[in-house]
Amino acid sequence: MTTPSTSLPGGTWALGDLIVTRFGYGAMQLAGPGVMGPPADHEGALAVLREAVALGISHIDTAGAYGPRVTNRLIREALRPYAAPLRIVTKVGAVRDERGGWVPARRPGELRDAVRENLDDLGLDALDVVNLRLGDARGPRQESLAEPFEALLELQRQGLIRHLGVSNATAEQVAEARAIAPIVCVQNMYNLAHRQDDALIDELAGAGIAYVPFFPLGGFTPLQETALSAVAERLAATRMSVALAWLLRRSPNILLIPGTSSVAHLRENVAGSGLALSEEDLAALDSIGRRHR
C-alpha cells in the first residue's frame, strides 16, 4: 500500500465530508491511444498511479468509459488496498462505441450498470464521488437532467455512492441538480481562454462546491497564446505549469486533475503548480480570457 508523503501546492478542499488535495490526478491518459484499450506500458501506468499517491495526491479522477474499464482496473491493481486519504472520483453517463466514440448512456438502467461496473473494477463497496456526465462530445446541451440524476440519487440512498456531482453541464443544469440533491463538484471545460464559467465558479465557491476544470490547456486544440508563452518563458517554466498555477490562483474551490502517462511529467506538473505568479503575470494571463470573450 502506498501512502502520501508530501504536501502539495494549493492545499485541500472538502468534497462533502471527504478532504482531498486541490492538486489531483486525472487517469484518462493511462488508457491506450484515443482512450481505448490497454496502455502500451502496463508497468509504467502502474508506476504513475503509485507516484501520484506518493507525491501526496489524494484525489484521482477516472471513468469506466476510459478504455473502457481500463483505467479503473489499473487503479485497483496499483493502489488497492487504498490508503485512507485517497479518494476516487468517477463519471457515468457515457459509453464507448466500436469506433471509440463517446455515446450518451443516461437511462436509469444504464447508470445502475455503470455504477456496478465502477464498483467491481475499482474493488470498492461504495464510490466516493460519482459525476453525471451530461451533453455529448461536442459539449454541454441544454436539457433536463432530472431523470438520470434522480437515478443516481437512488443509488446514493442505497449506499453505493457517497457524493454526487455533474460534468459537462450548463449553469442551468447545475442549478437543477442542486434543487434535487446536494452536489459536491462540477467538472467542466475551463481554461485561460475558455472562461464561460467564471460566474458559475464564483457562485459555487460561495456554496462550498468544488469546480474541476478539464482541458486546462485547451484540450485537443491546444492554446496558442503569446501571453501564456511569455509568462512561461519569464518564469523558466512550461506553459502547462503556468496554466495550472493560474487555475489554483483563480479560485479556492478549483481542483486540478491534469493527466499524464509519464512519471517525469507528473512530477513536473506537481512542481510547476506551485509557481509564484506576480500581479504582472496574472494581468497578462487574464488578458487572454478578455480577448476570447
Side-chain angles (χ1 to χ4, degrees), residues 190-215:
Y190 180 82
N191 55 50
L192 283 161
H194 298 89
R195 298 185 58 175
Q196 67 285 348
D197 277 354
D198 270 336
L200 177 61
I201 289 171
D202 296 338
E203 176 188 342
L204 295 175
I209 298 170
Y211 184 91
V212 188
F214 58 79
F215 292 160

Side-chain angles (χ1 to χ4, degrees), residues 28-248:
M28 184 174 73
Q29 292 187 31
L30 293 183
V35 201
M36 291 290 286
D41 181 359
H42 183 87
E43 291 304 315
L46 300 180
V48 169
L49 288 162
R50 289 168 180 150
E51 181 66 10
V53 175
L55 287 170
I57 289 171
S58 65
H59 171 202
I60 292 180
D61 179 83
T62 185
Y66 298 164
R69 305 184 71 171
V70 168
T71 64
N72 282 353
R73 290 171 176 173
L74 288 169
I75 291 168
R76 176 176 181 164
E77 181 179 355
L79 301 176
R80 192 172 180 265
Y82 302 109
L86 182 63
R87 301 301 176 184
I88 299 172
V89 177
T90 189
K91 285 180 290 296
V92 296
V95 295
R96 311 300 296 280
D97 63 23
E98 64 278 2
R99 298 182 301 278
W102 302 81
V103 180
R106 294 191 287 269
R107 292 191 293 271
E110 293 172 320
L111 295 173
R112 287 191 293 269
D113 289 345
V115 166
R116 292 193 177 96
E117 280 187 359
N118 274 270
L119 290 167
D120 290 344
D121 291 343
L122 290 166
L124 291 168
D125 296 322
L127 299 170
D128 289 327
V129 182
V130 174
N131 284 316
L132 173 63
R133 187 184 190 278
L134 300 163
D136 54 31
R138 293 168 291 184
R141 294 182 59 188
Q142 197 62 266
E143 57 190 348
S144 175
L145 54 64
E147 182 182 38
F149 195 72
E150 287 170 355
L152 291 183
L153 178 59
E154 177 57 32
L155 295 174
Q156 184 184 41
R157 289 172 176 148
Q158 294 172 20
L160 301 180
I161 300 171
R162 292 191 174 94
H163 298 289
L164 298 173
V166 292
S167 177
N168 204 32
T170 65
E172 292 78 11
Q173 288 168 329
V174 172
E176 184 182 11
R178 294 179 65 191
I180 296 170
I183 63 172
V184 298
C185 56
V186 174
Q187 188 178 111
N188 277 0
M189 180 177 178
Y190 180 82
N191 55 50
L192 283 161
H194 298 89
R195 298 185 58 175
Q196 67 285 348
D197 277 354
D198 270 336
L200 177 61
I201 289 171
D202 296 338
E203 176 188 342
L204 295 175
I209 298 170
Y211 184 91
V212 188
F214 58 79
F215 292 160
L217 266 184
F220 301 112
T221 306
L223 297 181
Q224 301 295 327
E225 289 291 342
T226 301
L228 176 59
S229 298
V231 172
E233 183 176 351
R234 182 160 60 248
L235 296 175
T238 66
R239 295 164 69 251
M240 181 67 167
S241 296
V242 172
L244 294 176
W246 177 83
L247 285 166
L248 283 175

